[in-house]
Coordinates of all heavy atoms in Angstrom, one line a residue:
M1 N 121.7 28.8 -52.6 CA 120.7 28.0 -51.9 C 119.5 27.8 -52.9 O 119.2 28.6 -53.7 CB 120.2 28.8 -50.7 CG 119.2 28.1 -49.9 SD 120.0 27.8 -48.4 CE 119.2 26.5 -47.6
S2 N 119.0 26.6 -52.8 CA 117.9 26.3 -53.7 C 116.5 26.8 -53.2 O 116.3 27.0 -52.0 CB 117.8 24.7 -53.9 OG 119.0 24.3 -54.4
T3 N 115.6 26.9 -54.1 CA 114.3 27.3 -53.8 C 113.5 26.2 -53.1 O 113.4 25.1 -53.7 CB 113.5 27.7 -55.1 OG1 114.3 28.7 -55.8 CG2 112.1 28.3 -54.8
P4 N 113.0 26.4 -51.9 CA 112.1 25.3 -51.3 C 110.9 25.0 -52.2 O 110.4 25.9 -52.8 CB 111.7 25.9 -50.0 CG 112.7 27.0 -49.7 CD 113.1 27.5 -51.1
A5 N 110.5 23.8 -52.2 CA 109.4 23.3 -53.0 C 108.1 24.2 -52.7 O 107.4 24.5 -53.6 CB 109.1 21.9 -52.8
A6 N 107.9 24.6 -51.5 CA 106.7 25.3 -51.1 C 106.7 26.7 -51.7 O 105.7 27.3 -51.8 CB 106.6 25.4 -49.6
T7 N 107.9 27.2 -52.2 CA 107.9 28.5 -52.8 C 108.3 28.5 -54.2 O 108.8 29.5 -54.8 CB 108.9 29.4 -52.0 OG1 110.2 28.8 -52.1 CG2 108.5 29.6 -50.5
W8 N 108.1 27.4 -54.9 CA 108.3 27.3 -56.3 C 107.4 28.3 -57.0 O 106.2 28.4 -56.7 CB 108.0 25.9 -56.8 CG 108.4 25.7 -58.2 CD1 107.7 25.9 -59.3 CD2 109.7 25.1 -58.7 NE1 108.4 25.6 -60.5 CE2 109.6 25.1 -60.1 CE3 110.8 24.6 -58.1 CZ2 110.7 24.6 -60.9 CZ3 111.8 24.2 -58.9 CH2 111.8 24.2 -60.3
T9 N 108.0 29.0 -57.9 CA 107.2 30.1 -58.6 C 107.2 29.9 -60.1 O 108.0 29.1 -60.6 CB 107.8 31.5 -58.3 OG1 109.1 31.5 -58.9 CG2 107.9 31.7 -56.8
E10 N 106.4 30.6 -60.8 CA 106.4 30.6 -62.2 C 107.7 31.1 -62.8 O 108.2 30.6 -63.8 CB 105.3 31.5 -62.7 CG 105.1 31.5 -64.3 CD 104.7 30.2 -64.8 OE1 104.1 29.4 -64.1 OE2 105.1 29.9 -66.0
A11 N 108.4 32.0 -62.0 CA 109.7 32.4 -62.4 C 110.7 31.3 -62.4 O 111.6 31.2 -63.3 CB 110.2 33.6 -61.5
D12 N 110.6 30.4 -61.4 CA 111.5 29.2 -61.4 C 111.2 28.3 -62.6 O 112.2 27.8 -63.2 CB 111.2 28.3 -60.1 CG 111.6 29.1 -58.9 OD1 112.6 29.8 -58.8 OD2 110.8 29.0 -57.9
T13 N 110.0 28.1 -63.0 CA 109.7 27.3 -64.2 C 110.2 28.0 -65.4 O 110.8 27.3 -66.2 CB 108.1 27.2 -64.3 OG1 107.6 26.5 -63.1 CG2 107.8 26.4 -65.5
K14 N 110.1 29.3 -65.6 CA 110.6 30.0 -66.7 C 112.1 29.9 -66.8 O 112.7 29.7 -67.8 CB 110.2 31.5 -66.7 CG 108.7 31.6 -67.1 CD 108.3 33.1 -67.0 CE 106.8 33.2 -67.3 NZ 106.4 34.6 -67.3
R15 N 112.8 30.0 -65.6 CA 114.2 29.9 -65.6 C 114.7 28.5 -66.0 O 115.6 28.3 -66.7 CB 114.7 30.2 -64.2 CG 116.2 30.0 -64.0 CD 117.0 31.2 -63.6 NE 118.3 30.8 -63.2 CZ 119.4 30.6 -64.0 NH1 119.2 30.8 -65.3 NH2 120.6 30.3 -63.5
A16 N 113.9 27.5 -65.5 CA 114.3 26.1 -65.9 C 114.2 25.9 -67.4 O 115.0 25.2 -68.0 CB 113.4 25.1 -65.1
W17 N 113.1 26.4 -68.0 CA 112.9 26.3 -69.4 C 114.1 27.0 -70.1 O 114.6 26.4 -71.2 CB 111.6 26.9 -69.9 CG 110.4 26.0 -69.8 CD1 109.4 26.1 -68.9 CD2 110.2 24.8 -70.5 NE1 108.5 25.1 -69.1 CE2 109.0 24.3 -70.1 CE3 110.9 24.1 -71.5 CZ2 108.4 23.1 -70.6 CZ3 110.3 23.0 -72.1 CH2 109.1 22.5 -71.6
Q18 N 114.5 28.1 -69.7 CA 115.6 28.8 -70.3 C 116.9 28.1 -70.2 O 117.7 28.0 -71.1 CB 115.8 30.2 -69.7 CG 116.8 31.1 -70.4 CD 116.5 31.3 -71.9 OE1 115.4 31.8 -72.2 NE2 117.4 31.0 -72.8
I19 N 117.2 27.5 -69.0 CA 118.4 26.7 -68.8 C 118.4 25.5 -69.7 O 119.4 25.2 -70.4 CB 118.4 26.2 -67.3 CG1 118.7 27.4 -66.4 CG2 119.5 25.1 -67.1 CD1 118.4 27.1 -64.9
W20 N 117.2 24.9 -69.9 CA 117.1 23.7 -70.8 C 117.4 24.1 -72.2 O 118.1 23.5 -73.0 CB 115.8 23.0 -70.6 CG 115.6 21.8 -71.5 CD1 114.6 21.6 -72.3 CD2 116.5 20.7 -71.6 NE1 114.7 20.3 -72.9 CE2 115.9 19.8 -72.5 CE3 117.7 20.3 -71.0 CZ2 116.5 18.5 -72.8 CZ3 118.2 19.1 -71.3 CH2 117.6 18.2 -72.2
A21 N 116.8 25.2 -72.6 CA 117.0 25.7 -74.0 C 118.5 26.0 -74.3 O 119.1 25.7 -75.3 CB 116.2 27.0 -74.3
D22 N 119.1 26.7 -73.3 CA 120.6 27.0 -73.4 C 121.4 25.7 -73.5 O 122.4 25.6 -74.2 CB 121.0 27.9 -72.2 CG 120.4 29.3 -72.3 OD1 119.8 29.7 -73.3 OD2 120.5 30.0 -71.2
Y23 N 121.1 24.8 -72.6 CA 121.8 23.5 -72.6 C 121.7 22.8 -73.9 O 122.8 22.3 -74.4 CB 121.2 22.6 -71.5 CG 122.0 21.3 -71.3 CD1 123.1 21.3 -70.3 CD2 121.8 20.2 -72.0 CE1 123.8 20.2 -70.1 CE2 122.5 19.0 -71.8 CZ 123.5 19.0 -70.9 OH 124.3 17.9 -70.7
Q24 N 120.6 22.8 -74.5 CA 120.4 22.1 -75.8 C 121.1 22.8 -76.9 O 121.5 22.2 -77.9 CB 118.9 22.0 -76.2 CG 118.2 21.0 -75.3 CD 116.7 20.9 -75.6 OE1 116.3 20.1 -76.4 NE2 115.9 21.8 -75.1
R25 N 121.3 24.1 -76.8 CA 122.1 24.8 -77.8 C 123.6 24.5 -77.8 O 124.2 24.6 -78.8 CB 121.9 26.4 -77.7 CG 120.7 26.9 -78.4 CD 120.8 28.4 -78.4 NE 120.6 29.1 -77.2 CZ 119.4 29.3 -76.6 NH1 118.3 28.8 -77.1 NH2 119.3 29.9 -75.4
T26 N 124.1 24.1 -76.6 CA 125.5 23.9 -76.5 C 125.8 22.4 -76.4 O 127.0 22.0 -76.3 CB 126.1 24.6 -75.3 OG1 125.4 24.3 -74.1 CG2 125.9 26.1 -75.6
N27 N 124.8 21.5 -76.2 CA 125.0 20.1 -76.0 C 124.1 19.3 -76.9 O 122.9 19.6 -77.0 CB 124.8 19.7 -74.6 CG 125.7 20.4 -73.6 OD1 126.8 19.9 -73.4 ND2 125.3 21.5 -73.1
D28 N 124.6 18.2 -77.6 CA 123.8 17.3 -78.4 C 123.1 16.3 -77.4 O 123.8 15.5 -76.8 CB 124.7 16.6 -79.4 CG 123.9 15.6 -80.2 OD1 122.6 15.6 -80.2 OD2 124.5 14.9 -81.0
V29 N 121.8 16.4 -77.3 CA 121.1 15.5 -76.4 C 120.3 14.4 -77.2 O 119.5 13.7 -76.6 CB 120.1 16.3 -75.5 CG1 120.9 17.2 -74.6 CG2 119.1 17.0 -76.3
S30 N 120.6 14.3 -78.5 CA 119.8 13.4 -79.4 C 119.9 11.9 -78.9 O 118.9 11.2 -79.1 CB 120.2 13.5 -80.8 OG 121.6 13.2 -81.0
E31 N 121.0 11.5 -78.3 CA 121.2 10.2 -77.9 C 120.5 9.9 -76.5 O 120.4 8.8 -76.0 CB 122.6 9.8 -77.8 CG 123.2 9.6 -79.2 CD 124.6 9.0 -79.2 OE1 124.9 8.2 -78.3 OE2 125.3 9.2 -80.2
R32 N 120.0 11.0 -75.9 CA 119.3 10.9 -74.6 C 117.8 11.0 -74.8 O 117.1 11.1 -73.8 CB 119.8 12.0 -73.7 CG 121.2 11.9 -73.3 CD 121.6 12.9 -72.3 NE 123.0 12.9 -71.8 CZ 123.4 12.2 -70.8 NH1 122.5 11.4 -70.1 NH2 124.6 12.2 -70.4
T33 N 117.3 10.9 -76.0 CA 115.8 11.0 -76.2 C 115.1 10.0 -75.4 O 115.5 8.8 -75.3 CB 115.5 10.9 -77.7 OG1 116.1 11.9 -78.4 CG2 114.0 10.9 -77.9
G34 N 114.1 10.5 -74.6 CA 113.3 9.6 -73.8 C 113.7 9.5 -72.3 O 113.0 9.1 -71.5
Q35 N 115.0 10.0 -72.1 CA 115.5 10.0 -70.7 C 114.8 11.2 -69.9 O 114.4 12.1 -70.5 CB 117.0 10.2 -70.7 CG 117.8 9.0 -71.0 CD 119.3 9.2 -70.8 OE1 119.7 10.3 -70.6 NE2 120.0 8.1 -70.8
A36 N 114.8 11.0 -68.6 CA 114.4 12.1 -67.8 C 115.5 13.1 -67.7 O 116.7 12.7 -67.7 CB 114.0 11.6 -66.4
V37 N 115.2 14.4 -67.5 CA 116.1 15.4 -67.2 C 115.6 16.2 -66.1 O 114.4 16.6 -66.1 CB 116.4 16.3 -68.5 CG1 115.2 17.0 -69.0 CG2 117.5 17.3 -68.2
G38 N 116.4 16.5 -65.1 CA 116.1 17.3 -63.9 C 116.9 18.6 -64.0 O 118.1 18.6 -64.2
I39 N 116.2 19.7 -63.9 CA 116.8 21.0 -64.1 C 116.6 21.8 -62.8 O 115.5 22.0 -62.3 CB 116.2 21.8 -65.2 CG1 116.2 20.9 -66.5 CG2 116.8 23.1 -65.4 CD1 115.2 21.3 -67.5
D40 N 117.7 22.3 -62.2 CA 117.7 23.1 -61.0 C 117.7 24.6 -61.4 O 118.8 25.1 -61.9 CB 118.9 22.8 -60.1 CG 118.9 23.6 -58.8 OD1 118.1 24.5 -58.6 OD2 119.8 23.3 -58.0
P41 N 116.6 25.3 -61.3 CA 116.6 26.7 -61.7 C 117.5 27.6 -60.8 O 117.9 28.7 -61.2 CB 115.1 27.1 -61.6 CG 114.6 26.2 -60.6 CD 115.3 24.9 -60.7
A42 N 117.8 27.2 -59.6 CA 118.7 28.0 -58.7 C 120.1 27.9 -59.1 O 120.8 28.9 -59.2 CB 118.5 27.5 -57.3
S43 N 120.6 26.7 -59.4 CA 122.1 26.5 -59.8 C 122.3 26.5 -61.3 O 123.5 26.7 -61.7 CB 122.6 25.3 -59.1 OG 122.1 24.1 -59.8
G44 N 121.3 26.2 -62.0 CA 121.5 26.0 -63.5 C 122.0 24.6 -63.9 O 122.2 24.4 -65.0
Q45 N 122.1 23.7 -62.9 CA 122.6 22.4 -63.2 C 121.5 21.5 -63.8 O 120.3 21.7 -63.5 CB 123.1 21.7 -61.9 CG 124.4 22.3 -61.4 CD 125.0 21.6 -60.3 OE1 124.4 21.7 -59.2 NE2 126.0 20.8 -60.5
V46 N 122.0 20.5 -64.6 CA 121.1 19.6 -65.3 C 121.6 18.2 -65.1 O 122.8 17.9 -65.2 CB 121.1 19.9 -66.9 CG1 120.4 18.9 -67.7 CG2 120.6 21.3 -67.1
W47 N 120.6 17.3 -64.7 CA 121.0 15.9 -64.5 C 120.1 15.0 -65.4 O 118.9 15.3 -65.6 CB 120.7 15.5 -63.0 CG 121.7 16.2 -62.1 CD1 122.9 15.8 -61.7 CD2 121.4 17.4 -61.3 NE1 123.5 16.6 -60.8 CE2 122.6 17.6 -60.5 CE3 120.4 18.3 -61.2 CZ2 122.7 18.7 -59.7 CZ3 120.5 19.3 -60.4 CH2 121.6 19.5 -59.6
F48 N 120.6 13.9 -65.8 CA 119.9 12.9 -66.6 C 119.7 11.6 -65.9 O 120.6 11.2 -65.1 CB 120.6 12.7 -67.9 CG 120.6 13.9 -68.8 CD1 121.7 14.7 -68.8 CD2 119.6 14.2 -69.7 CE1 121.8 15.9 -69.6 CE2 119.7 15.3 -70.5 CZ 120.8 16.2 -70.4
G49 N 118.6 10.9 -66.2 CA 118.4 9.6 -65.6 C 117.3 8.9 -66.4 O 116.7 9.4 -67.2
E50 N 117.0 7.6 -66.0 CA 115.9 6.9 -66.6 C 114.6 7.4 -66.1 O 113.6 7.3 -66.9 CB 116.1 5.4 -66.3 CG 117.2 4.7 -67.0 CD 117.2 5.0 -68.5 OE1 116.2 4.7 -69.1 OE2 118.2 5.4 -69.0
S51 N 114.5 8.0 -64.9 CA 113.3 8.5 -64.4 C 113.6 9.7 -63.4 O 114.8 9.8 -63.0 CB 112.5 7.5 -63.7 OG 113.2 7.1 -62.5
A52 N 112.6 10.4 -63.1 CA 112.8 11.5 -62.1 C 113.2 10.9 -60.8 O 114.1 11.4 -60.1 CB 111.5 12.3 -61.9
K53 N 112.6 9.7 -60.4 CA 113.0 9.1 -59.2 C 114.5 8.7 -59.2 O 115.2 8.9 -58.2 CB 112.1 7.8 -58.9 CG 112.4 7.1 -57.6 CD 111.5 6.0 -57.4 CE 111.8 5.3 -56.1 NZ 110.8 4.2 -55.8
D54 N 115.0 8.2 -60.3 CA 116.4 7.8 -60.4 C 117.3 9.0 -60.1 O 118.3 9.0 -59.5 CB 116.7 7.2 -61.7 CG 116.2 5.8 -61.9 OD1 115.8 5.1 -60.9 OD2 116.1 5.4 -63.1
I55 N 116.9 10.2 -60.7 CA 117.7 11.4 -60.6 C 117.7 11.8 -59.1 O 118.7 12.1 -58.5 CB 117.1 12.5 -61.5 CG1 117.4 12.1 -63.0 CG2 117.8 13.9 -61.2 CD1 116.6 13.0 -63.9
V56 N 116.5 11.8 -58.5 CA 116.4 12.3 -57.1 C 117.2 11.3 -56.2 O 117.9 11.8 -55.3 CB 114.9 12.3 -56.7 CG1 114.8 12.5 -55.2 CG2 114.2 13.5 -57.4
L57 N 117.1 10.0 -56.4 CA 117.9 9.1 -55.6 C 119.4 9.3 -55.7 O 120.1 9.2 -54.7 CB 117.5 7.7 -55.9 CG 116.1 7.2 -55.5 CD1 115.7 5.8 -56.0 CD2 115.9 7.3 -53.9
H58 N 119.8 9.5 -56.9 CA 121.2 9.8 -57.2 C 121.7 11.0 -56.5 O 122.8 11.0 -55.8 CB 121.5 9.9 -58.7 CG 122.9 10.3 -59.0 ND1 123.9 9.4 -59.0 CD2 123.4 11.5 -59.4 CE1 125.0 10.1 -59.3 NE2 124.7 11.3 -59.6
L59 N 120.9 12.1 -56.6 CA 121.3 13.4 -55.9 C 121.3 13.2 -54.4 O 122.2 13.7 -53.7 CB 120.4 14.5 -56.3 CG 120.5 14.9 -57.8 CD1 119.5 16.0 -58.1 CD2 121.9 15.3 -58.2
E60 N 120.3 12.5 -53.8 CA 120.2 12.3 -52.4 C 121.4 11.6 -51.9 O 122.0 11.8 -50.8 CB 118.9 11.6 -52.0 CG 117.7 12.6 -52.1 CD 116.4 11.9 -51.7 OE1 116.4 10.6 -51.6 OE2 115.4 12.6 -51.5
A61 N 121.9 10.6 -52.7 CA 123.1 9.8 -52.3 C 124.3 10.7 -52.3 O 125.3 10.4 -51.5 CB 123.3 8.7 -53.3
E62 N 124.3 11.8 -53.1 CA 125.4 12.7 -53.1 C 125.2 13.9 -52.0 O 126.0 14.8 -52.0 CB 125.6 13.3 -54.5 CG 126.1 12.4 -55.5 CD 126.3 13.0 -56.8 OE1 126.3 14.2 -56.9 OE2 126.6 12.2 -57.8
G63 N 124.1 13.8 -51.3 CA 123.8 14.8 -50.3 C 123.1 16.1 -50.9 O 123.1 17.1 -50.2
I64 N 122.6 16.0 -52.1 CA 122.0 17.1 -52.7 C 120.5 17.0 -52.6 O 119.9 16.0 -53.1 CB 122.4 17.2 -54.2 CG1 123.9 17.4 -54.3 CG2 121.7 18.4 -54.9 CD1 124.5 17.2 -55.7
R65 N 119.9 18.0 -52.0 CA 118.4 18.0 -51.9 C 117.9 19.4 -52.5 O 118.1 20.4 -51.8 CB 117.9 17.8 -50.5 CG 118.3 16.4 -50.0 CD 117.8 16.2 -48.6 NE 116.3 16.3 -48.5 CZ 115.5 15.4 -48.6 NH1 115.9 14.2 -48.9 NH2 114.2 15.6 -48.5
T66 N 117.4 19.4 -53.6 CA 116.9 20.6 -54.3 C 115.7 20.3 -55.1 O 115.6 19.3 -55.7 CB 118.1 21.2 -55.1 OG1 117.6 22.5 -55.6 CG2 118.5 20.4 -56.2
P67 N 114.8 21.3 -55.2 CA 113.6 21.1 -56.1 C 114.1 21.2 -57.5 O 114.9 22.0 -57.9 CB 112.7 22.2 -55.8 CG 113.2 22.9 -54.5 CD 114.6 22.5 -54.4
L68 N 113.6 20.3 -58.4 CA 113.9 20.2 -59.8 C 112.7 20.3 -60.7 O 111.6 19.9 -60.3 CB 114.7 18.9 -60.1 CG 115.9 18.6 -59.3 CD1 116.4 17.2 -59.7 CD2 117.0 19.7 -59.6
F69 N 112.9 20.8 -61.9 CA 111.9 20.8 -62.9 C 112.3 19.6 -63.8 O 113.4 19.5 -64.3 CB 112.1 22.1 -63.7 CG 111.1 22.3 -64.8 CD1 109.8 22.7 -64.5 CD2 111.4 22.1 -66.1 CE1 108.8 22.8 -65.5 CE2 110.5 22.3 -67.1 CZ 109.2 22.6 -66.8
F70 N 111.3 18.7 -64.1 CA 111.6 17.5 -64.9 C 110.9 17.6 -66.2 O 109.7 18.0 -66.4 CB 111.0 16.3 -64.1 CG 111.8 16.0 -62.9 CD1 111.4 16.3 -61.6 CD2 113.1 15.3 -63.0 CE1 112.1 16.1 -60.5 CE2 113.8 15.0 -61.9 CZ 113.4 15.4 -60.6
L71 N 111.6 17.0 -67.2 CA 111.1 16.9 -68.6 C 111.6 15.5 -69.1 O 112.5 14.9 -68.4 CB 111.7 17.9 -69.5 CG 111.2 19.4 -69.3 CD1 112.1 20.3 -70.1 CD2 109.8 19.5 -69.6
R72 N 111.1 15.1 -70.2 CA 111.7 14.0 -70.9 C 112.4 14.6 -72.1 O 111.8 15.5 -72.8 CB 110.6 13.0 -71.4 CG 109.9 12.2 -70.3 CD 110.7 10.9 -70.1 NE 110.1 10.2 -69.0 CZ 110.8 9.3 -68.4 NH1 112.0 9.0 -68.7 NH2 110.2 8.6 -67.4
V73 N 113.6 14.1 -72.4 CA 114.4 14.6 -73.5 C 113.6 14.3 -74.8 O 113.1 13.2 -75.0 CB 115.8 14.0 -73.6 CG1 116.5 14.5 -74.8 CG2 116.5 14.3 -72.3
G74 N 113.4 15.4 -75.6 CA 112.6 15.2 -76.8 C 111.1 15.5 -76.7 O 110.4 15.5 -77.6
Q75 N 110.7 15.9 -75.4 CA 109.3 16.2 -75.2 C 109.2 17.5 -74.4 O 110.2 17.8 -73.7 CB 108.6 15.1 -74.4 CG 108.6 13.8 -75.2 CD 108.1 12.6 -74.4 OE1 107.9 12.7 -73.2 NE2 107.8 11.5 -75.1
D76 N 108.1 18.1 -74.4 CA 108.0 19.4 -73.6 C 107.2 19.1 -72.3 O 106.6 20.0 -71.7 CB 107.3 20.5 -74.4 CG 105.9 20.1 -74.8 OD1 105.5 19.0 -74.6 OD2 105.2 21.0 -75.4
Y77 N 107.3 17.9 -71.8 CA 106.7 17.5 -70.6 C 107.4 16.2 -70.0 O 108.2 15.6 -70.7 CB 105.2 17.1 -70.8 CG 104.9 16.1 -71.8 CD1 104.9 14.7 -71.5 CD2 104.7 16.4 -73.1 CE1 104.7 13.8 -72.4 CE2 104.5 15.4 -74.1 CZ 104.5 14.1 -73.7 OH 104.3 13.1 -74.7
Y78 N 107.1 15.9 -68.8 CA 107.7 14.7 -68.2 C 106.9 13.5 -68.4 O 107.3 12.5 -68.9 CB 108.0 14.9 -66.7 CG 108.6 13.6 -66.1 CD1 109.9 13.2 -66.3 CD2 107.8 12.8 -65.3 CE1 110.4 12.1 -65.8 CE2 108.3 11.6 -64.8 CZ 109.6 11.2 -65.0 OH 110.1 10.1 -64.5
G79 N 105.6 13.6 -68.0 CA 104.7 12.5 -68.2 C 103.3 13.1 -68.2 O 103.0 14.2 -67.7
R80 N 102.4 12.4 -68.9 CA 101.0 12.9 -69.0 C 100.1 11.7 -68.6 O 100.4 10.6 -68.9 CB 100.7 13.3 -70.4 CG 101.5 14.5 -70.8 CD 100.8 15.2 -72.0 NE 101.6 16.4 -72.3 CZ 101.4 17.1 -73.4 NH1 100.6 16.7 -74.3 NH2 102.1 18.2 -73.6
K81 N 99.1 12.1 -67.9 CA 98.1 11.1 -67.5 C 97.0 11.0 -68.7 O 96.5 12.1 -69.1 CB 97.4 11.4 -66.2 CG 98.3 11.3 -65.0 CD 97.5 11.5 -63.8 CE 98.4 11.2 -62.6 NZ 97.6 11.2 -61.4
G82 N 96.8 9.9 -69.1 CA 95.7 9.7 -70.1 C 94.4 9.3 -69.5 O 94.4 8.7 -68.5
G83 N 93.4 9.7 -70.2 CA 92.0 9.3 -69.7 C 91.7 7.9 -70.1 O 92.2 7.4 -71.1
G84 N 91.0 7.2 -69.2 CA 90.6 5.8 -69.5 C 89.5 5.8 -70.6 O 88.7 6.7 -70.7
R85 N 89.6 4.9 -71.5 CA 88.6 4.8 -72.5 C 87.7 3.6 -72.4 O 88.1 2.6 -72.0 CB 89.3 4.8 -73.9 CG 90.0 6.1 -74.2 CD 90.6 6.0 -75.5 NE 91.6 7.1 -75.6 CZ 92.2 7.5 -76.7 NH1 92.0 6.8 -77.8 NH2 93.0 8.5 -76.7

């Protein structure tokens, strides 16, 4: 069973980071640079898409509803808000 969003913990985040590090050690993701990656800390599954929304819509179509940790391949974050200048 997946962790409900309301109970997402720092441990979930750490587990997601570990899953991602392990995934990259065994899979070449260089051609996916810039794509979104969704990581499920409960199951260890990893999904790719053009955006977090695309990944969520794809999973919902398959009947999967689980909180995910999102990153952009090649970056240590998904998106950043910039300050207006």
Side-chain angles (χ1 to χ4, degrees):
M1 183 113 199
S2 297
T3 305
T7 60
W8 187 275
T9 67
E10 184 63 29
D12 294 320
T13 301
K14 287 180 182 179
R15 172 123 169 83
W17 276 112
Q18 186 61 53
I19 291 165
W20 181 233
D22 293 345
Y23 187 90
Q24 290 180 92
R25 272 194 290 281
T26 58
N27 298 275
D28 179 10
V29 296
S30 61
E31 291 191 22
R32 295 186 178 270
T33 299
Q35 285 187 347
V37 58
I39 305 156
D40 180 356
S43 71
Q45 290 185 285
V46 174
W47 293 275
F48 295 93
E50 291 305 310
S51 69
K53 183 177 180 177
D54 287 342
I55 294 169
V56 170
L57 291 174
H58 174 76
L59 294 179
E60 286 178 348
E62 292 184 8
I64 301 170
R65 295 182 60 89
T66 186
L68 300 174
F69 182 78
F70 290 101
L71 294 169
R72 289 270 177 201
V73 177
Q75 300 174 344
D76 62 354
Y77 55 89
Y78 177 75
R80 294 201 177 166
K81 289 188 174 187
R85 292 183 196 187

